[in-house]
């Protein structure tokens, strides 16, 4: 027997599938079309603007009356009440149902988190409104299937069942279906049945706006990263060497050296120095000490434009030096230009968040709704690095938390840094904090910040802080638009394009026929652009997003934020130049003028004082005559005293002369007597020649 070909197997498969479904459609066709007629459906929902806008304070015992939704209950609420409900009643009329009326009543989860999707899915799975079981995490080993799949008895008749629990008129103990921003996710397919999606929702990254200028090492050095540090050092050394060579060859330094060392017979040393300097110095370079600065300007300026400094070499050696210098710089500039684009195209090296992919490496943290866990445990409950937050272990994982876990399971190189929270919005107690121009959640003491405000307020452990969050794109556009209306600016913006699209649908207990009729009503309600009209009403279309980070596609585009280091370096140099120019052009002349004025004032004051003294010393003729007479009298007195002194000196001299004469006479007499005695002695005894000579000498001296 020949095997059945592929076309044959496909035909047989379709026939078997049709035969399997035939009993269901044949026996229950009437129930499928009219099972909802005359019924009251208790709907589980959550607070999720712009889909469900609810004043939870008006909800009593989980039941939310029409007043809780106000004039505008949100996109999903209006879609259900104005469109889906209308078509459900129309189907009952078309099928001639005994009671064509259909009623909807809305209920919230009794948990602290009024916005959780998983909570209402878990409640629908368990088939109860019990608050003790509302936060449990779906099916598990102890409960492999949802109780509602076997215990759900359907909706109650119209006009009955007015409470969440405790009402004996209710046919079932739990909700009849759930509506809101409920994503059709794989982990929910075993728990509930979904209707046809009424719209598509994607995820988007939200972050704080990038500052225009960020003083950080990474951004300051961005423009230098295409070359290694050693290559930049080599370029700087080359510029410095050329600077020195320009001073030696073009600035006349060699001529001055020769003039100081060489001696020429027919030229004096002074003339030799002057002629050597004039013959070897480039007149385009400033003279004196300014030649040092001018040569450096020529060497460095040539790195950006060979003709920029406005100078040309005049010596042979200088021309060869500049040719080599320009060749080197042109090659380096061309190499830098060719490498800077591909280098900066790798956004992972840049200190910005541009898309969801920038979060995978763990360089930036992300906030999502979800549970806490110990990421350092040998066998952690979840993947990723837990950074903190205000959640707890009982919170159910959100669609965004689940997305991060799935990404890390499929890509082992991904490792998200995760903050978790309970709500997207901030609360103080049970009351949601309404943001006003004078009331920011960041300043409210004791507030439990939601994901938006955790990013805005930079709430972390003091070392790290949340950098971004991930959430439903339409909800984000709505929230950021409302915040801009309050603040007048975008304190939070979306980053990158939307990703990970999924459908939003109604959830029903498994094994019921209601998903079919509701899907039919949804499909009919969507025709004619109903959903697009609601999107325009709530300003959640792509073109309504005014708070976004414009990152053009097709590669990385340079922005001020990316090249802020270049602006900082240029600005610092310009500011230094302006300060120096202001000091030397304005302050220094004023200071010198003040010094000159002060010195002139001192000179004038000294001259004035001298003039005053001279004026005070001027005398009248009478005073001059009297002074002359007094001076003459003093001089005559001095002369008389001098004459008396001379006369006294003469008398004393005469007296001294008389005394000396008397003394001389007495001396002569004594000498005469002695000579006589000597003569007598000589005649009596032989004379000693030495004594005689001595006496003669003494006599002569006397």
């Amino acid at each position: 027997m020949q095997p059945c070909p592929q076309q044959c197997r496909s035909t047989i498969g379709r026939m078997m599938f049709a035969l399997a479904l035939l009993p269901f459609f044949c026996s229950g066709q009437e129930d499928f079309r009219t099972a909802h007629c005359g019924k009251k459906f208790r709907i589980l929902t959550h607070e999720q603007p712009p889909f469900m806008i609810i004043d939870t304070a008006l909800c009593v015992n989980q039941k939310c009356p029409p007043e809780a939704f106000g004039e505008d209950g949100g996109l999903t609420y209006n879609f259900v009440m104005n469109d889906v409900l209308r078509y459900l009643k129309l189907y009952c009329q078309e099928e001639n149902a005994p009671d064509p009326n259909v009623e909807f009543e809305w209920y919230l989860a009794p948990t602290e988190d009024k916005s959780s999707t998983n909570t209402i899915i878990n409640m629908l799975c368990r088939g109860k409104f019990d608050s003790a079981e509302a936060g449990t995490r779906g099916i598990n080993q102890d409960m492999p299937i949802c109780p509602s799949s076997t215990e759900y008895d359907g909706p109650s008749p119209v006009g009955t069942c007015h409470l969440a629990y405790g009402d004996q008129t209710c046919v079932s103990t739990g909700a009849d279906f759930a509506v809101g921003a409920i994503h059709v996710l794989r982990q929910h397919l075993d728990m509930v049945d979904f209707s046809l999606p009424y719209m598509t929702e994607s995820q988007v990254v939200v972050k704080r706006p990038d500052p225009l200028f960020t003083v950080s090492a990474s951004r300051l050095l961005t423009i230098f990263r295409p070359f290694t540090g050693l290559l930049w050092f080599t370029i700087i050394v080359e510029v410095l060497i050329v600077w020195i060579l320009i001073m030696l060859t073009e600035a006349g330094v060699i001529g001055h050296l020769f003039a100081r060392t060489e001696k020429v017979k027919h030229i004096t040393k002074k003339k030799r120095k002057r002629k050597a300097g004039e013959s070897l110095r480039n007149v385009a370079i400033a003279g004196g000490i300014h030649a040092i600065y001018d040569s450096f300007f020529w060497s460095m300026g040539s790195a950006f434009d060979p003709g920029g400094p406005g100078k040309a070499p005049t010596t042979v050696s200088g021309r060869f030096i500049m040719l080599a210098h320009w060749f080197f710089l042109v090659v380096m500039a061309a190499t830098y230009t060719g490498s800077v684009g591909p280098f900066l195209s790798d956004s992972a090296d840049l200190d910005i968040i541009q898309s969801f992919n920038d979060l995978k490496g763990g360089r930036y943290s992300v906030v999502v709704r979800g549970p806490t866990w110990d990421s350092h445990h040998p066998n952690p409950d979840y993947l990723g690095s837990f950074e903190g937050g205000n959640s707890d272990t009982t919170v159910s994982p959100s669609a965004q938390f689940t997305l991060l876990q799935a990404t890390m399971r499929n890509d082992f190189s991904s490792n998200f840094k995760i903050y978790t929270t309970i709500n997207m919005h901030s609360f103080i107690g049970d009351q949601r904090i309404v943001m006003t121009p004078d009331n920011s959640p960041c300043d409210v003491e004791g507030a439990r910040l939601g994901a938006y405000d955790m990013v805005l307020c930079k709430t972390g452990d003091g070392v790290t802080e949340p950098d971004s969050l991930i959430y439903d794109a339409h909800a984000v556009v709505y929230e950021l638009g409302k915040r801009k209306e309050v603040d007048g600016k975008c304190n939070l913006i979306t980053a990158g394009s939307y990703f990970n699209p999924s459908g939003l649908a109604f959830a029903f207990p498994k094994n019921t026929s209601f998903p079919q009729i509701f899907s039919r009503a949804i499909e009919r309600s969507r025709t004619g652009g109903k959903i697009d009209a609601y999107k325009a009403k709530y300003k959640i279309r792509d073109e309504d997003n005014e708070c976004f980070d414009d990152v053009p596609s097709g590669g990385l585009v340079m922005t001020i934020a990316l090249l802020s280091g270049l602006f900082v370096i240029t600005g610092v140099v310009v500011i230094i130049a302006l300060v120096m120019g202001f000091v030397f052009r304005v302050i220094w002349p004023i200071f010198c003028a003040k010094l000159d004025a002060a010195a002139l004032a001192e000179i004038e004051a000294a001259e004035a004082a001298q003039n005053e003294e001279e004026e005070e010393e001027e005398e009248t003729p009478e005073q001059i005559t009297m002074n002359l007479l007094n001076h003459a009298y003093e001089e005559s007195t001095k002369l008389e005293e001098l004459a008396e002194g001379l006369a006294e000196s003469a008398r004393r001299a005469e007296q001294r002369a008389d005394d000396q004469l008397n003394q001389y006479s007495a001396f002569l007499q004594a000498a005469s007597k002695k000579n006589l005695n000597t003569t007598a002695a000589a005649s009596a005894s032989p004379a000693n020649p030495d004594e005689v000579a001595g006496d003669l000498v003494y006599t002569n001296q006397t």
Side-chain angles (χ1 to χ4, degrees):
M1 179 184 243
Q2 296 294 330
C4 183
Q6 178 66 30
Q7 184 178 3
C8 177
R9 289 198 301 270
S10 301
T11 304
I12 293 175
R14 287 193 294 268
M15 292 177 61
M16 292 180 64
F17 180 75
L19 291 174
L21 294 179
L22 184 60
F24 172 79
F25 285 105
C26 293
S27 61
Q29 184 175 7
E30 183 177 358
D31 294 336
F32 161 71
R33 297 180 182 276
T34 61
H36 64 284
C37 300
K39 303 296 182 180
K40 172 186 284 188
F41 290 85
R42 291 187 293 178
I43 307 173
L44 269 177
T45 189
H46 57 172
E47 184 188 14
Q48 183 71 292
F51 303 101
M52 299 298 301
I53 303 175
I54 308 172
D55 185 357
T56 57
L58 299 179
C59 300
V60 180
N61 294 328
Q62 299 177 234
K63 182 179 179 180
C64 298
E67 294 79 16
F69 298 93
E71 297 180 356
D72 186 5
L75 185 152
T76 304
Y77 177 81
N78 288 325
F79 179 71
V80 171
M81 299 300 292
N82 298 333
D83 299 295
V84 175
L85 181 59
R86 177 166 62 90
Y87 284 111
L88 290 176
K89 293 179 179 180
L90 181 61
Y91 294 152
C92 293
Q93 296 174 0
E94 292 176 351
E95 297 296 331
N96 297 319
D99 187 355
N101 195 20
V102 180
E103 292 183 354
F104 288 162
E105 284 187 346
W106 299 83
Y107 292 82
L108 284 176
T111 56
E112 182 180 7
D113 183 10
K114 305 296 184 183
S115 61
S116 173
T117 300
N118 283 342
T119 299
I120 59 178
I121 293 294
N122 293 336
M123 292 176 63
L124 190 65
C125 171
R126 291 181 174 271
K128 294 181 180 180
F129 283 98
D130 191 354
S131 60
E133 299 180 349
T136 56
R137 299 180 185 175
I139 58 178
N140 48 47
Q141 293 181 353
D142 298 330
M143 189 183 68
I145 63 173
C146 290
S148 62
S149 62
T150 58
E151 299 175 1
Y152 177 68
D153 295 327
S156 303
V158 171
T160 63
C161 190
H162 302 287
L163 300 175
Y165 44 84
D167 191 337
Q168 299 300 324
T169 62
C170 296
V171 174
S172 300
T173 58
D176 299 300
F177 68 99
V179 170
I182 302 175
H183 293 264
V184 180
L185 302 178
R186 181 178 177 277
Q187 65 266 28
H188 294 157
L189 295 178
D190 295 333
M191 301 170 62
V192 295
D193 288 333
F194 287 101
S195 67
L196 183 73
Y198 63 91
M199 67 177 296
T200 301
E201 181 63 288
S202 299
Q203 304 301 308
V204 69
V205 177
V206 180
K207 65 173 183 177
R208 295 181 295 274
D210 295 322
L212 291 179
F213 295 98
T214 302
V215 181
S216 62
S218 60
R219 289 190 175 179
L220 286 176
L221 301 178
T222 297
I223 58 175
F224 301 105
R225 289 182 177 179
F227 286 174
T228 63
L230 180 60
L231 183 54
W232 282 115
F233 176 76
T234 305
I235 295 174
I236 294 174
V237 170
E238 192 274 343
V239 172
L240 295 178
I241 292 175
V242 172
W243 173 31
I244 296 174
L245 294 177
I246 289 176
M247 287 192 296
L248 295 176
T249 59
E250 296 292 325
V253 177
I254 293 179
H256 287 289
L257 292 177
F258 284 151
R260 290 180 178 274
T261 58
E262 294 185 356
K263 293 182 179 180
V264 182
K265 295 181 179 180
H266 303 289
I267 304 176
T268 63
K269 186 176 181 181
K270 183 175 181 180
K271 292 182 178 180
R272 174 63 180 172
K273 179 179 178 181
R274 178 178 57 82
K275 290 189 176 182
E278 291 177 353
S279 62
L280 296 178
R281 187 177 70 83
N282 191 330
V283 295
I285 299 178
I289 193 174
H290 298 288
I292 299 176
Y293 312 125
D294 210 11
S295 299
F296 178 76
F297 171 72
W298 191 1
S299 175
M300 181 61 72
S302 298
F304 309 105
D305 183 4
K311 306 178 189 299
T314 58
T315 64
V316 176
S317 58
R319 289 170 180 170
F320 278 100
I321 290 171
M322 294 310 299
L323 283 176
H325 182 52
W326 292 334
F327 175 76
F328 176 81
L329 294 177
V330 167
V331 173
M332 287 294 103
T335 305
Y336 179 85
T337 304
S339 61
V340 67
F343 177 83
L344 294 179
S345 63
D346 184 9
S347 61
D349 292 332
L350 301 176
D351 191 18
I352 57 174
I353 300 175
Q354 291 187 322
S355 66
F356 175 69
N357 292 329
D358 295 328
L359 306 177
K360 293 182 178 180
R363 185 174 182 179
Y364 309 100
S365 57
V366 58
V367 182
V368 292
R369 291 187 307 164
T372 61
W373 78 98
D374 183 7
S375 58
H376 300 289
H377 192 274
N379 296 312
D381 295 333
Y382 300 100
L383 301 176
S385 175
F386 178 70
E387 299 295 318
N390 53 27
S391 184
D392 55 57
T393 57
T394 62
V395 177
S396 299
S398 63
Q400 293 75 31
F401 186 92
T402 304
L403 171 63
L404 299 182
Q405 297 297 314
T407 302
M408 288 185 284
R409 283 194 298 268
N410 297 328
D411 183 4
F412 294 108
S413 63
S414 299
N415 184 31
F416 292 96
K417 295 171 62 176
I418 303 174
Y419 285 85
T420 58
T421 182
I422 299 176
N423 303 99
M424 292 302 298
H425 300 90
S426 300
F427 285 80
I428 181 167
D430 295 333
Q431 298 295 323
R432 177 179 170 182
I433 299 176
V434 179
M435 191 172 183
T436 63
D438 301 327
N439 182 30
S440 173
C442 301
D443 303 327
V444 178
E445 185 176 357
R448 186 180 71 251
L449 298 181
Y452 290 108
D453 293 320
M454 286 183 66
V455 176
L456 176 63
C457 304
K458 303 180 181 180
T459 304
D461 57 4
V463 179
T464 60
E465 60 189 27
D467 298 310
S468 62
L469 66 91
I470 299 175
Y471 200 51
D472 296 341
H474 293 106
V476 166
V477 173
Y478 180 82
E479 178 67 19
L480 299 187
K482 292 296 183 182
R483 288 173 176 260
K484 185 180 180 182
E485 291 179 0
V486 174
D487 291 340
K489 58 183 179 180
C490 294
N491 292 322
L492 295 173
I493 60 175
T494 60
S497 58
Y498 298 167
F499 60 95
N500 194 49
S502 60
L504 300 183
F506 301 171
F508 296 85
K510 293 190 73 68
N511 303 324
T512 66
S513 61
F514 297 115
Q516 288 85 357
I517 191 63
F518 274 82
S519 296
R520 183 181 175 186
I522 291 172
E523 179 64 23
R524 192 168 179 180
S525 300
R526 290 179 55 182
T527 59
K530 285 286 186 179
I531 295 297
D532 293 336
Y534 283 126
K535 289 182 179 180
K537 175 183 178 181
Y538 292 99
K539 298 180 180 180
I540 58 175
R541 298 169 299 178
D542 295 348
E543 56 267 29
D544 295 323
N545 184 14
E546 298 180 358
C547 300
F548 63 93
D549 188 9
D550 188 11
V551 181
S553 59
L556 183 66
V557 177
M558 295 295 100
T559 62
I560 293 179
L562 296 181
L563 298 179
S564 58
L566 175 62
F567 290 95
V568 170
I569 295 173
T570 305
V572 169
V573 174
V574 171
I575 290 173
I576 293 175
L578 290 176
V579 171
M580 294 178 63
F582 181 76
V583 169
F584 289 105
R585 293 290 185 179
V586 179
I587 297 179
W588 183 252
I590 295 175
F591 179 72
C592 293
K594 289 183 178 180
L595 290 179
D596 294 341
L600 182 61
E602 292 180 359
I603 294 174
E604 292 177 351
E607 292 178 352
Q610 184 177 1
N611 294 333
E612 291 179 359
E613 292 178 358
E614 292 177 354
E615 291 177 358
E616 292 176 356
E617 292 177 356
E618 291 182 358
E619 300 176 346
T620 61
E622 293 79 5
Q623 291 178 344
I624 294 174
T625 304
M626 185 60 67
N627 290 335
L628 292 175
L629 292 175
N630 291 334
H631 182 68
Y633 176 76
E634 291 176 356
E635 293 296 330
S636 62
T637 304
K638 291 180 180 179
L639 290 175
E640 291 177 357
E641 291 177 355
L642 180 59
E644 292 177 358
L646 292 175
E648 182 65 26
S649 297
R651 286 193 298 270
R652 290 178 182 177
E654 185 179 359
Q655 184 65 35
R656 284 196 300 270
D658 292 341
D659 293 339
Q660 290 178 359
L661 182 61
N662 293 332
Q663 290 178 1
Y664 185 69
S665 298
F667 177 74
L668 291 177
Q669 291 177 2
S672 298
K673 290 179 180 182
K674 185 175 181 179
N675 289 332
L676 292 176
N677 292 333
T678 302
T679 304
S683 62
S685 60
N688 188 343
D690 296 332
E691 293 180 357
V692 173
D695 291 336
L696 291 175
V697 172
Y698 175 78
T699 302
N700 292 332
Q701 290 178 351
T702 304

